[in-house]
């Protein structure tokens, strides 16, 4: 019987932590499944492409494009599936040669040294340009004034006098448009052909919308008749009218004035044929 530790106690301690510790991809995948999320949902939430999510869960970090991007994706995915990213990042650093070294700041200072210094405005060139402009303006003004004085003196020396004969007695101008147009009358429209129906629509009291069609339903006019305007329509059989404001309209049918008292604002539908005036 030996005194002391047994052979079993003397066996070297075996660290099984590395064997039982799951991989980074396994931790992230189990956490995603436990959260009830799909790869598509995690990709949409983190903006990490599906292919990269699948690769990281398979412990393939090559598609990440480097250690810096891999660490960033691990941190983002861990937060999305509610896992602390710190142990996973420490595990990644231990398995991939440590945390990436920070970017040296020397190139930044080098770029700062070679940056060209800013120069102020060139006031000397600006002053010279301003002086040239002023001198040119003064010279042009003096030359123009001298030319005007010389022409005036020459005119006085020659004894010429300004001519006013052309503007003293303006010629009277006769315009046919100034003559007032006579109002339409029965005799003025009496020359309408007897084998056709002739309808003249005038608007002496205001403007009105009118529509005129022939016996075939063809549109002769459809629009606004302004105050003082008139339209004349002819057809072999009949004229169909629609007056938007009959109170503003005056009608002459086959050379005779229609004496119907239309109310202002009233809409009238009228039909005239040969042998009228009489409302159809």
């Amino acid at each position: 019987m030996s005194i002391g530790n047994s052979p079993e106690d003397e066996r070297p301690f075996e660290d099984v932590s590395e064997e039982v510790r799951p991989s980074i991809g396994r931790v992230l995948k189990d956490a995603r499944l436990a959260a009830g999320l799909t790869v598509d949902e995690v990709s949409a939430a983190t903006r990490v492409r599906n292919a990269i999510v699948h690769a990281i869960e398979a412990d393939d970090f090559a598609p990440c494009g480097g250690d810096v991007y891999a660490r960033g994706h691990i941190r983002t995915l861990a937060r999305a599936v509610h896992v602390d990213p710190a142990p996973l990042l420490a595990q990644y650093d231990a398995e991939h040669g440590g945390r990436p070294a920070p970017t040296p700041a020397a190139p930044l200072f080098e770029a700062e040294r070679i940056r060209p210094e800013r120069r102020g405005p060139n006031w000397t060139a600006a002053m010279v340009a301003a002086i040239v402009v002023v001198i040119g303006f003064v010279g042009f003004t003096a030359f123009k004034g001298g030319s005007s004085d010389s022409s005036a003196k020459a005119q006085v020396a020659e004894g010429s006098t300004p001519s006013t004969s052309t503007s003293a007695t303006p010629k009277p101008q006769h315009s046919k448009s100034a003559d007032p147009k006579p109002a339409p009358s029965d005799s003025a429209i009496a020359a309408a052909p007897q084998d056709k129906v002739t309808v003249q629509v005038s608007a002496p009291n205001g403007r009105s919308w009118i529509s005129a069609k022939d016996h075939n339903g063809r549109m002769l006019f459809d629009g606004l008749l302004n105050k003082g305007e008139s339209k004349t329509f002819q057809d072999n059989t009949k004229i169909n009218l629609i007056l938007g404001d009959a109170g503003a309209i005056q009608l002459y049918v086959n050379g005779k004035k229609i004496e119907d008292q239309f109310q202002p604002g009233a809409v009238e539908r009228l039909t005239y044929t040969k042998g009228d005036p009489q409302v159809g």
Side-chain angles (χ1 to χ4, degrees), residues 2 10 13 68 74 140 148 182 193 225 234 243:
S2 62
E10 294 178 355
F13 176 75
V68 175
I74 293 172
F140 175 76
S148 300
L225 192 67
Q234 282 188 345
L243 307 179

Side-chain angles (χ1 to χ4, degrees), residues 9-233:
D9 295 334
E10 294 178 355
R11 287 182 304 176
F13 176 75
E14 295 181 1
D15 186 6
V16 296
S17 60
E18 294 294 335
E19 298 178 0
V20 299
R21 183 172 60 178
S23 66
I24 298 172
R26 185 66 184 180
V27 172
L28 293 175
K29 184 175 182 180
D30 291 344
R32 175 177 63 78
L33 295 176
L37 300 174
T38 64
V39 173
D40 292 338
E41 292 173 342
V42 172
S43 176
T46 61
R47 297 185 182 275
V48 179
R49 288 182 293 138
N50 291 6
I52 296 180
V53 176
H54 281 295
I56 291 176
E57 289 186 352
D59 294 311
D60 180 11
F61 301 98
C64 295
D67 292 338
V68 175
Y69 296 104
R71 298 178 86 260
H73 291 331
I74 293 172
R75 182 183 295 106
T76 302
L77 296 177
R79 291 174 178 172
V81 296
H82 311 295
V83 173
D84 184 11
L88 299 179
L89 294 175
Q91 182 178 349
Y92 179 84
D93 294 339
E95 295 174 356
H96 294 80
R99 187 171 183 176
T103 304
L108 299 179
F109 292 102
E110 187 69 23
E112 192 68 25
R113 282 199 298 269
I114 64 175
R115 181 183 299 174
E117 59 180 85
R118 297 180 179 178
R119 296 183 178 180
N122 193 344
W123 295 108
T124 303
M127 291 179 62
V128 171
I131 293 173
V132 171
V133 171
V134 171
I135 293 175
F137 177 76
V138 172
F140 175 76
T141 304
F143 175 76
K144 185 177 181 181
S147 299
S148 300
D149 294 341
S150 299
S151 60
K153 290 178 182 179
Q155 185 175 2
V156 172
E158 293 175 1
S160 60
T161 57
S163 176
T164 58
S165 60
T166 56
S167 60
T169 57
K171 296 181 180 180
Q173 297 181 355
H174 299 282
S175 177
K176 294 182 179 180
S177 59
D179 298 335
K181 294 182 179 180
S185 61
D186 295 347
S187 59
I189 312 174
Q194 298 298 321
D195 58 341
K196 295 183 179 180
V197 54
T198 303
V199 177
Q200 185 183 52
V201 183
S202 303
N205 303 321
R207 63 179 186 175
S208 172
W209 172 84
I210 66 171
S211 173
K213 296 182 180 180
D214 60 10
H215 71 283
N216 291 323
R218 183 173 60 91
M219 184 68 69
L220 301 177
F221 181 80
D222 183 19
L224 188 65
L225 192 67
N226 293 316
K227 183 178 180 179
E229 294 182 347
S230 63
K231 294 285 184 181
T232 302
F233 310 105

